Amino acid sequence: MDPDTTRENIRKAGRRAVDLFAEVFDGPEESRVSPGGDRESVRRLFADTLGDGGVGIETAVDDFARLALPHSMRTPHPLYLGLVNTSPLPAAVLGDLLVSTLNNNGGAFRQGPAMWGAEQAVLGEFARLLGLEGAHGMFLPGGS
């Protein structure tokens, strides 16, 4: 991986995210929540896009813009009223980007001390708010 190319592709992907939020915040009247379309046309669009070798990050970012973006629900749109998947806030997207960049495992202190410390702080605050001072716990994915 060439560091300069990698930096530029990260910037390019970031600009696409900025453009998506700008589109739905600056002109919600002109942008649609649902992309519309039908299953067969989307199936044909993605047909033969996978191969034995990788395409590289630059092509992957371009393919995302060409294939995925036009055919994706605009959940950040102010008129999106999702039940299970809520609208992402820009701060949540940025937080996810930064945490994903580190990719630390919060399962044990030595695997991610900062992640562990943040989890302890949030759990402590939840325990305080619920009147369960001194309680212990951990976060697990799955929404249960």
Side-chain angles (χ1 to χ4, degrees):
M1 284 193 308
D2 172 53
D4 291 333
T5 302
T6 301
R7 283 186 199 95
E8 183 50 39
N9 283 307
I10 292 169
R11 288 184 186 102
K12 190 176 186 180
R15 284 190 297 271
R16 296 229 189 267
V18 168
D19 291 346
L20 175 60
F21 276 104
E23 170 195 323
V24 297
F25 290 151
D26 295 343
E29 303 82 19
E30 293 84 35
S31 63
R32 295 180 54 177
V33 175
S34 173
D38 62 272
R39 290 175 195 250
E40 191 51 40
S41 64
V42 174
R43 187 185 327 272
R44 280 193 311 269
L45 185 67
F46 283 87
D48 301 322
T49 58
L50 302 177
D52 291 338
V55 296
I57 190 167
E58 186 170 5
T59 301
V61 170
D62 290 341
D63 284 352
F64 176 80
R66 182 175 59 85
L67 300 171
L69 265 180
H71 304 282
S72 295
M73 186 71 68
R74 297 292 204 260
T75 56
H77 198 289
L79 298 177
Y80 176 75
L81 303 173
L83 175 63
V84 176
N85 53 332
T86 59
S87 297
L89 296 172
V93 172
L94 293 173
D96 187 51
L97 171 66
L98 295 173
V99 169
S100 294
T101 301
L102 289 173
N103 196 29
N104 281 190
N105 183 333
F109 177 78
R110 295 214 183 277
Q111 294 174 322
M115 184 78 107
W116 179 89
E119 179 182 55
Q120 294 304 304
V122 172
L123 289 169
E125 186 62 15
F126 278 158
R128 185 190 69 75
L129 290 169
L130 296 170
L132 301 170
E133 283 82 358
H136 299 279
M138 65 173 49
F139 289 114
L140 299 170
S144 299

